[in-house]
Amino acid sequence: EVQLVETGGGLVRPGSSLKLSCATSGFTFSNTWMNWVRQAPGKGLEWVALIKDKYSNYEANYAESVKGRFTISRDDSKSRVYLQMNTLRDQDTATYYCTKITTTVFDYWGQGVMVTVSS
Amino acid sequence: AIVLNQSPSSIVASQGEKVTITCRASSSISSNYLHWYQQKPGAFPKLVIYSTSYRASGIPSRFSGSGSGTSYSFTISRVEAEDVATYYCQQGSSNPFTFGSGTKLEIK
């Protein structure tokens, strides 16, 4: 059974940093692309970042809204994907979902973790 | 970035009614890379249709999808109470991957 469990959310001040983690199981993590998607309260879904597998040299892509501030990474030995978020803004307040990707399909999602940026 | 214009933004339907949601892309996309998700209230999104017309595992046959190029649609042939949710289209044809703005389905 595929499982994705996000941790690391919380309440932080604008300008601060936070690192999200997504623990996975039930599939071959090392050859799977992984993703973060977020959803601001009462709003729609926004793709945030993607990291490809070792066969694609762990290439990472980012939404313009987070480029230069967020970094996606992975640890294949632990089957985990991370999202380092720096210089957080009020607009980054959202539920962050970790998703597994199969040929651009976000086929499995975690339950999500809430990040609140507020002074 | 490819913009997905999803319509309508909300639908109120009776049980047993047919509903259709449209997703129009700002540029042509491969039908292999257009997908639909369902998000029930208070829950995380779930894959419903992938590659335009293929139902994900466990999805009832009343859900279907079609389309090509820049125009795609998602249909529920006979709406049931459990289908109350917001539905999103998503394209993976080009980076950045993008979502439509969502269609909220409610039951009368």
Side-chain angles (χ1 to χ4, degrees):
Chain A
E1 179 193 6
V2 173
Q3 290 194 330
L4 306 170
V5 179
E6 303 96 335
T7 56
L11 171 63
V12 295
R13 303 287 191 214
S16 62
S17 299
L18 200 61
K19 186 172 185 177
L20 305 182
S21 177
C22 174
T24 76
S25 61
F27 62 98
T28 305
F29 182 82
S30 61
N31 63 8
T32 301
W33 294 12
M34 299 295 296
N35 226 13
W36 288 93
V37 174
R38 69 183 180 183
Q39 186 171 37
K43 302 297 184 182
L45 301 172
E46 180 188 15
W47 172 77
V48 174
L50 169 159
I51 187 163
K52 299 180 181 180
D53 60 16
K54 60 185 175 183
Y55 304 104
S56 300
N57 295 316
Y58 300 116
E59 178 184 343
N61 299 121
Y62 299 92
E64 282 298 322
S65 58
V66 307
K67 201 174 288 186
R69 299 188 299 123
F70 289 13
T71 302
I72 189 171
S73 62
R74 62 191 293 158
D75 186 334
D76 289 352
S77 68
K78 295 182 179 179
S79 297
R80 285 179 176 259
V81 62
Y82 305 95
L83 187 67
Q84 175 67 46
M85 303 184 293
N86 297 331
T87 320
L88 282 161
R89 305 167 178 166
D90 292 352
Q91 311 93 293
D92 296 318
T93 293
T95 297
Y96 285 74
Y97 295 103
C98 167
T99 86
K100 172 182 170 292
I101 301 174
T102 300
T103 320
T104 81
V105 184
F106 304 169
D107 52 356
Y108 289 91
W109 297 62
Q111 298 272 5
V113 62
M114 186 68 200
V115 172
T116 303
V117 184
S118 176
S119 53
Chain B
I2 294 179
V3 176
L4 297 179
N5 290 301
Q6 197 174 329
S7 62
S9 57
S10 65
I11 302 175
V12 181
S14 301
Q15 289 193 59
E17 188 176 337
K18 177 180 176 180
V19 299
T20 298
I21 299 168
T22 298
C23 181
R24 289 198 167 83
S26 57
S27 301
S28 182
I29 60 179
S30 166
S31 60
N32 290 330
Y33 302 132
L34 191 287
H35 320 299
W36 293 90
Y37 302 86
Q38 173 194 67
Q39 186 176 30
K40 295 186 176 181
F44 58 90
K46 172 184 168 184
L47 176 67
V48 181
I49 297 285
Y50 66 95
S51 300
T52 296
S53 59
Y54 296 91
R55 282 188 300 277
S57 175
I59 300 301
S61 59
R62 66 180 181 275
F63 293 92
S64 65
S66 64
S68 65
T70 60
S71 184
Y72 294 84
S73 63
F74 173 87
T75 298
I76 308 174
S77 59
R78 291 174 300 278
V79 168
E80 298 188 4
E82 66 182 25
D83 300 334
V84 168
T86 300
Y87 294 86
Y88 297 90
C89 56
Q90 174 250 323
Q91 67 83 21
S93 187
S94 71
N95 179 45
F97 294 168
T98 47
F99 289 93
S101 54
T103 296
K104 186 174 184 180
L105 172 62
E106 296 176 303
I107 302 296
K108 283 181 192 172

